[in-house]
Amino acid sequence: MALFILSPILFPLLGLLINALWGRRMSERAIGGVATLAAAAAFVVSMLMLGQLTAAEDARLTATIAPWIAAGALNVSFGFLVDRLSIVIMLIVTGIGTLIHMFSIGYMRGDERFQRYFIYLNLFLASMLTLVMADNFLVMFMGWELVGLCSYLLIGFWFKNLKNAEAGRKAFVVNRIGDVGFVLGILLIFVTFGSLSFADVFGQAEAQGETLAGAIGLITLLLFIGATGKSAQIPLFVWLPDAMAGPTPVSALIHAATMVTAGVYMMTRASALYELAPATQAIVALVGALTAFVAGTSALRQLDIKKVLAYSTVSQLGYMVAACGLGAFIAADFHLLTHAFFKAALFLAAGSVIHGIEHGMHAAHNSAPVDPQDMRYMGGLARKMPVTFAAFLLGGLALAGVPPLSGFFSKDEILLDAFKHNLPAFALLAVSSVVTAFYVGRQLTLVFAGRPRSEAAAHAVESNWLMTMPLIALTIGTVFAGLFNFPGAHPLTDWLAPVVRHGDAPKFDAPLAAVFSALAIGALAIAWFLYRNPDRAQAEAETGMGRLLAKAWCFDDAYRWAIVKPFYIISTVCAQVIDVGVIDAAVNGVGRLFHTLGNSLRSLQTGFVRNYGLVMLIGVVFVVAYFALNAR
Amino acid sequence: MDSTTFVALLSSVLFTIGVLGVLLRRSALLIFMSVELMLNAANLAFVAFAHRWVQLDGQIFVFFVMAVAAAEVAVGLALIVTIFRTKRSTNVDDLAALKG
């Protein structure tokens, strides 16, 4: 039984083991096949577990593999838990992960480190599943860190370009900052509750929440700091746009299925704690809404096809976090689910576009090389790449919240909650929602409409079936994922209600939904109208406001001036002044002292026997004189 | 001035000449001869004081010194000859191979 519960983690591990041990002798297809099958097996097992969980409302599969830490009051074991919440995330991770694995076989073809790529990809999946299936905070933290490691490895996968390596490092460092908050939160949980297992902590919190209100407020705040790192919220979102440096399927994996959802999952898991901390809730809601707004507006002026999607991910994560802050944890999970589908579809479609442009560059021999991700050189791809276009279009419309696609339902649920509970957050989220539709329209127009604006775009061709198949599957999901929590029926809410706290029963507010659909469609239309003239994108990026937005409100510059530069100065002082001037000087000084001493004493040793003889004579004279004078 | 004082003075003059020879001369052979001179100056003093105090110890000691000096001459001259053969010189300042 324990093996069965662990198998979603074990299958990817097995896949990476096979690839690591025998991958050198296997063909690319075989390596990719093993990795994809491992991911698919994890998905199948998760489906089997889903079947078992439907038996009863509080059905849960638990397995304790071994004790981990037993020191005094601290008792942690490698415990795993699958309940109604984790199974939902597991299905997203493995399902979308499998499609991304499959897409990668086509995308990474011919890469010199193909084998290593799939090893990392499987490890990523196993890490994320460890995080999701943990039954205590420490095992969750282990998965949390492993996910961070994998993101570092994959973002910096093409590390020969220094910029990519730096992006990987940035992701790692920024995530560590959030992790400090998470670790402190875990420690405080242990101090407060004397245990780290979910069951104990949430049970105790429920029983004596009133008396522990202060501690719980601090715990939830610290955990939220961890979430701002992983789930890319203000102030730690800066790593995510840079994470575009990795191969595009990796971006899809990080943005849709794994990694960034970790923070939202963790907050949902700890919903029992968050519900007892209204002050934290307010902060969370505001930070989420602000992130949605800042990142959404930043996406308006990006010229890189992936950067637009990156900021849009940050923005959508802002929606999820804001929903957590509003107490609508299930709405957050619903948006997580639909976002996973449409963002994976968008990223893989973007990958397909980049692949097509690169192919076009090879096909058009005498064309000037262009940046394959720069939207200024695209245009007119709708006819060249119809499947990709369809996927991108439907994914984009879902992101913009156009009914009846999945994004419409999930976003609407969050907006409705905000409208009822927190008007400032609602204002920010509402503006972001219109902004979202606008940048989606801009991107669709720039990439797919009009005429090709470069030789490469003119020669672009549709990708092969290995890449279009996952696209089609994800697009189907994008269209129909709304059914998971369709207004009126709410199967997802009913499913999660026993394990996740949630505010009011979800309602569907027709006027509100109608207003936002109309706004979204209007924004899309305006964007299409404006950006049919592609020079506009170029011109806009050069205005003052455009530059501010293109640089994402200058968060990076602010960090550079406030933290990185002073840190460099301190490091330089330590290295040049303290190390060289004090520590090295002390060591060298001792050496120099004896060197000088030796040099001066050395002149005594002339090497002439006569000198030694003279000294001896003088000595003898003294000795004799001494005895002669003392004789009487 | 009795004869003992005279001989003792002669002995110290000879010894001083020997010392100066060792210190000032560069030729290994001459340094060697100066060492011999110092030994014999010491012998002279031994003999003189033995005669003065009518004790045979000093005279016996002289025999030992002469025996040891003879042995030393054998070894020392052999060394000097070898040095001359390798260096083509007996200048002691040339023997600086061990100088750092």
Side-chain angles (χ1 to χ4, degrees), chain A residues 409-425:
Chain A
F409 296 106
S410 55
K411 194 185 277 184
D412 209 62
E413 223 173 273
I414 295 174
L415 282 169
L416 185 62
D417 270 304
F419 184 62
K420 281 195 282 193
H421 299 297
N422 192 334
L423 279 180

Side-chain angles (χ1 to χ4, degrees), chain A residues 5 11 17 48 88 129 156 182 227 236 242 343 414 455 497 523 528 581 619:
Chain A
I5 292 167
F11 274 121
L17 214 61
L48 292 177
V88 170
L129 288 168
F182 196 15
L236 297 180
D242 282 25
K343 192 47 65 69
I414 295 174
E455 280 289 299
W528 185 73

Side-chain angles (χ1 to χ4, degrees), chain A residues 39-288:
Chain A
F43 179 68
V44 170
V45 175
S46 303
M47 284 302 261
L48 292 177
M49 288 185 182
L50 179 71
Q52 293 202 350
L53 285 174
T54 46
E57 263 202 359
D58 53 352
R60 43 199 279 138
L61 304 167
T62 53
T64 304
I65 307 308
W68 183 6
I69 302 172
L74 180 62
N75 227 319
V76 185
S77 50
F78 282 107
F80 293 90
L81 155 76
V82 180
D83 67 359
R84 292 188 161 208
L85 174 59
S86 23
I87 195 72
V88 170
I89 312 285
M90 281 162 65
L91 285 171
I92 297 173
V93 170
T94 52
I96 293 181
T98 306
L99 294 173
I100 291 171
H101 275 68
M102 185 175 167
F103 183 89
S104 296
I105 303 175
Y107 191 83
M108 298 300 286
R109 197 173 54 199
D111 194 278
E112 52 180 333
R113 294 184 305 139
F114 191 89
Q115 174 200 4
R116 186 171 303 197
Y117 175 85
F118 277 94
I119 292 173
Y120 289 166
L121 224 51
N122 269 350
L123 183 64
F124 207 151
L125 218 54
S127 315
M128 188 66 193
L129 288 168
T130 310
L131 191 165
V132 173
M133 290 169 64
D135 91 330
N136 61 60
F137 279 101
L138 212 58
V139 174
M140 187 188 216
F141 183 67
M142 185 177 85
W144 187 274
E145 289 302 307
L146 280 171
V147 167
L149 168 73
C150 295
S151 70
Y152 164 75
L153 292 172
L154 283 168
I155 292 169
F157 186 72
W158 287 320
F159 55 78
K160 281 181 186 155
N161 184 343
L162 188 65
K163 264 180 83 178
N164 297 345
E166 279 174 350
R169 194 177 58 193
K170 184 172 174 184
F172 198 71
V173 170
V174 172
N175 266 299
R176 286 298 78 68
I177 296 169
D179 290 346
V180 173
F182 196 15
V183 170
L184 290 177
I186 290 175
L187 289 177
L188 198 57
I189 287 172
F190 176 68
V191 169
T192 311
F193 298 105
S195 167
L196 289 177
S197 97
F198 291 148
D200 289 355
V201 171
F202 301 145
Q204 279 191 44
E206 208 157 342
Q208 42 182 322
E210 305 297 315
T211 50
L212 295 173
I216 291 178
L218 198 55
I219 288 170
T220 47
L221 204 60
L222 287 169
L223 292 183
F224 176 59
I225 292 174
T228 58
K230 272 282 176 296
S231 283
Q233 296 297 297
I234 289 174
L236 297 180
F237 73 90
V238 287
W239 66 271
L240 194 67
D242 282 25
M244 297 298 103
T248 306
V250 171
S251 307
L253 195 62
I254 291 179
H255 286 235
T258 59
M259 184 90 183
V260 295
T261 57
V264 177
Y265 167 74
M266 186 262 283
M267 286 166 71
T268 317
R269 179 55 84 186
S271 59
L273 293 179
Y274 277 90
E275 226 180 29
L276 295 167
T280 313
Q281 289 276 63
I283 296 172
V284 173
L286 220 57
V287 168

Side-chain angles (χ1 to χ4, degrees), chain A residues 38 77 86 160 304 312 426 495 503 506 533 557:
Chain A
S77 50
S86 23
K160 281 181 186 155
D304 183 313
S312 117
F426 171 73
W495 173 257
N533 172 17
D557 293 306

Side-chain angles (χ1 to χ4, degrees), chain A residues 602 606 608 610 613-614 617, chain B residues 19 22-23 25-26 93 99:
Chain A
R602 176 178 174 203
T606 55
F608 294 123
R610 268 171 283 105
L614 184 62
L617 179 68
Chain B
V19 166
V22 168
L23 290 183
R25 286 295 181 163
R26 310 221 155 166
D93 289 350
K99 190 174 173 184

